[in-house]
């Protein structure tokens, strides 16, 4: 005696549920999505919680000849 459609569907649902649980352990995708600040000179990305001080440090260290506003236009006041 084999399983009917109901049993097959139940097994498929349980199998898919286990796959979804395993995928939640990684934060790589959410970390990539949080990289919203970007230097316009070198295109390096920074996480959205990066402070203005860190942006200024990057601009002074990596691009001393460029204006800070050229690197990070969102810092204009």
């Amino acid at each position: 005696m084999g399983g009917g459609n109901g049993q097959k569907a139940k097994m498929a649902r349980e199998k898919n549920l286990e796959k979804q649980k395993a995928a939640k352990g990684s934060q790589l995708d959410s970390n990539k999505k949080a990289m919203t600040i970007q230097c316009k000179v070198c295109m390096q990305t920074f996480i959205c919680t990066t402070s203005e001080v860190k942006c200024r440090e990057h601009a002074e260290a990596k691009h001393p000849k460029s204006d800070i506003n050229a690197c990070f236009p969102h810092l204009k006041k």
Side-chain angles (χ1 to χ4, degrees):
M1 306 255 192
N5 276 343
Q7 185 178 4
K8 290 178 184 177
K10 181 182 175 190
M11 292 297 289
R13 280 193 298 271
E14 290 175 359
K15 191 174 182 182
N16 286 334
L17 186 64
E18 288 176 12
K19 284 183 184 178
Q20 288 175 353
K21 284 183 183 178
K24 286 189 177 182
S26 177
Q27 282 188 319
L28 294 177
D29 288 335
S30 60
N31 288 347
K32 285 180 185 176
K33 290 177 186 174
M35 302 293 264
T36 57
I37 299 174
Q38 186 177 36
C39 174
K40 300 301 180 192
V41 176
C42 67
M43 300 300 173
Q44 181 176 349
T45 55
F46 299 89
I47 198 158
C48 61
T49 58
T50 301
S51 65
E52 182 178 340
V53 175
K54 292 290 182 187
C55 293
R56 289 186 186 277
E57 285 178 6
H58 169 81
E60 291 169 1
K62 301 288 183 179
H63 316 293
K65 295 180 183 177
S66 297
D67 185 33
I68 291 173
N69 292 328
C71 295
F72 301 102
H74 73 279
L75 294 180
K76 289 182 182 178
K77 293 183 179 177

